[in-house]
Amino acid sequence: MPQLNGGGGDDLGANDEMISFKDEGEQEEKISENSSAERDLADVKSSLVNESETNQNSSSDSEAERRPPPRSESFRDKTRESLEEAAKRQDGGLFKSPPYPGYPFIMIPDLTSPYLPNGSLSPTARTYLQMKWPLLDVQAGSLQSRQALKDARSPSPAHIVGPFCLEFPGQADLSLHQFHLSNKVPVVQHPHHVHPLTPLITYSNEHFTPGNPPPHLQADVDPKTGIPRPPHPSDISPYYPLSPGTVGQIPHPLGWLVPQQGQPVYPITTGGFRHPYPTALTVNASMSSLLSSRFPHHMVPPHHSLHTTGIPHPAIVTSNVKQESSHSDIGSLNSSKHQDAKKEEEKKKQPHIKKPLNAFMLYMKEMRAKVVAECTLKESAAINQILGRRWHALSREEQAKYYELARKERQLHMQLYPGWSARDNYAGNYQGKKKKRKREKQAGEGNEHREYFPNPCLSLPPITDLSAPKKCRARFGLDQQNNWCGPCSPNFLSFCSNTSSL
DNA sequence: CACCCTTTGAAGACC
DNA sequence: GGTCTTCAAAGGGTG
């Protein structure tokens, strides 16, 4: 289990002890197991890398280099080297080896170890935790069961297996040091060179016997994949004291948690959250002090309820509603209309809580600037195509970082907005900015079965949607085949099979 | 000015 | 349970 070098209380030292592979044999086994699948994936991925991209990124290229080498031994060695490098680089000692072979993504520090013999938190641990998980100091309490439920179905991509690779600190990929989750926050180099993804990084197994994980972790296994899952943040929250002053000094990997340079980067909602949001989520004293120290008083309501604390979150977007005008209109409305208007108004007052970003979105956010800089492209659609391909070209370990980060985002989002559902943002529910979805149009135009020709500069072959027949079947059902479009109808299929056999 | 485009992933809806 | 749809970000393009 990852942990801080807290046991001895000597925070940043003892670099040479950091990479202790007590479970090396076991780990090697697991790596070997995964290596073939990893090779396959790497092959598939490398085949996805188009020429234009590789040309564009001759400097980087290194995507191929970054991919895990086929040999597990060299992979392990490389990992070890990277770990050592990383450890030397990372303020000495915060980053340690992946102690849990079975915990591919374990990045939560061992929170039993950061404490000094006298019971207090070691300075390093305290600083680290304050930096990385300021908002996780939430007394999750009632949330835990719910979260556990969600955890069980939270994504754990089957292709992401094996020990978490710490190669990235050793990579000269600046972008990884620029990671920000915040909206509209300029990408900047991390001042302390603390990897922004540090929550994803494992620590020394000093206090862990690989085969004997803590009980609360043992039980945390993805029921679908069987892959052990890292503990969710609420597990660590009780050990996560905050003191105002230290947090703001270092940009948070989840950038929105900490206002950048004192700017209210994210709009503070004055309307609070809608009623269904429970008040069970509370902020402990240290959290409150953090908030009150970092935000004006009017932003920090006196009472409990994290969601009413006015924590600036990028996910919150207040709709631009002219409340005054609606007030003046109310008088002229009859009672029913009045009520409707009132409801509508209240609806409009609700802040728009955005979906947490998924792994790819996080990746895009980080890499977009880099791609824009490398290419002359400015069109997001084209850039996103490139990013999509790069995403596939990423090694499993690199993708795992983003999956893990996204998972933490979701957990955090869930803690901040326990009652929120993605459904809330569906058109019709959200009264703010609404888009006319293209899908609606496509359904009528029947272009859902078209051949898809992506950006020609990406030199991709056209993709014929072979799964098309399933669409109408899913949409209308088997008993309404008369509603199926031509290509979806069984007759059409038999016709195609006949003609193809000719 | 609102929406489209384009990507992947998560979650909800639908059959 | 499988499939589809919507929405997350981004910003130039389009009507």
Side-chain angles (χ1 to χ4, degrees), chain A residues 178-462:
Chain A
Q178 300 171 325
F179 204 93
H180 277 269
L181 298 183
S182 55
N183 288 338
K184 310 291 184 188
V185 176
V187 174
V188 292
Q189 173 76 32
H190 197 293
H192 288 184
H193 292 274
V194 174
H195 198 290
L197 297 173
T198 40
L200 314 184
I201 299 171
T202 56
Y203 295 83
S204 163
N205 54 348
E206 232 175 320
H207 297 267
F208 268 98
T209 306
N212 186 24
H216 73 285
L217 292 178
Q218 265 179 328
D220 198 4
V221 175
D222 189 313
K224 282 186 181 176
T225 62
I227 299 174
R229 304 188 59 81
H232 48 73
S234 57
D235 286 338
I236 69 173
S237 56
Y239 306 97
Y240 189 24
L242 291 168
S243 66
T246 50
V247 176
Q249 294 170 3
I250 302 170
H252 195 286
L254 305 181
W256 51 266
L257 294 176
V258 178
Q260 304 288 320
Q261 297 168 348
Q263 301 170 2
V265 177
Y266 304 109
I268 305 299
T269 170
T270 54
F273 293 82
R274 57 192 175 88
H275 297 305
Y277 289 157
T279 57
L281 196 60
T282 57
V283 185
N284 69 14
S286 55
M287 187 69 199
S288 301
S289 63
L290 165 70
L291 291 171
S292 56
S293 70
R294 297 207 48 86
F295 301 105
H297 270 297
H298 69 274
M299 293 182 177
V300 186
H303 297 301
H304 56 278
S305 212
L306 185 56
H307 66 267
T308 58
T309 54
I311 298 172
H313 190 291
I316 300 177
V317 175
T318 47
S319 8
N320 294 327
V321 180
K322 295 177 182 175
Q323 300 177 13
E324 291 147 18
S325 62
S326 57
H327 270 299
S328 62
D329 293 337
I330 288 175
S332 61
L333 296 171
N334 61 35
S335 60
S336 63
K337 279 187 178 179
H338 181 187
Q339 287 184 349
D340 289 345
K342 212 173 182 180
K343 282 181 181 177
E344 209 163 300
E345 188 183 341
E346 283 183 2
K347 222 174 181 180
K348 287 178 182 179
K349 279 182 182 176
Q350 295 167 4
H352 180 59
I353 300 172
K354 296 182 181 178
K355 294 174 70 172
L357 302 189
N358 64 36
F360 178 69
M361 287 294 152
L362 293 172
Y363 172 75
M364 280 212 327
K365 236 178 164 171
E366 180 195 355
M367 297 301 290
R368 172 177 297 278
K370 193 180 176 185
V371 172
V372 170
E374 287 176 359
C375 316
T376 53
L377 288 170
K378 286 184 179 178
E379 206 172 342
S380 288
I383 291 169
N384 291 349
Q385 281 193 330
I386 294 173
L387 286 169
R389 298 180 71 83
R390 287 197 181 189
W391 173 254
H392 285 295
L394 282 181
S395 71
R396 185 179 309 181
E397 289 76 20
E398 285 172 314
Q399 284 189 349
K401 293 182 297 194
Y402 295 96
Y403 281 118
E404 175 63 15
L405 207 55
R407 194 181 65 83
K408 292 186 185 306
E409 269 278 281
R410 287 196 304 277
Q411 286 183 345
L412 211 50
H413 193 277
M414 198 164 57
Q415 287 188 337
L416 289 172
Y417 321 112
W420 180 87
S421 160
R423 181 188 178 184
D424 299 352
N425 290 4
Y426 278 26
N429 286 341
Y430 172 49
Q431 296 297 317
K433 188 179 177 182
K434 254 189 296 184
K435 291 181 196 173
K436 193 179 181 182
R437 300 306 303 168
K438 59 180 178 183
R439 299 284 180 236
E440 300 164 10
K441 206 171 63 180
Q442 284 180 352
E445 292 173 359
N447 56 353
E448 54 203 335
H449 306 315
R450 73 189 169 190
E451 273 193 340
Y452 168 54
F453 292 90
N455 189 340
C457 67
L458 295 176
S459 60
L460 284 173

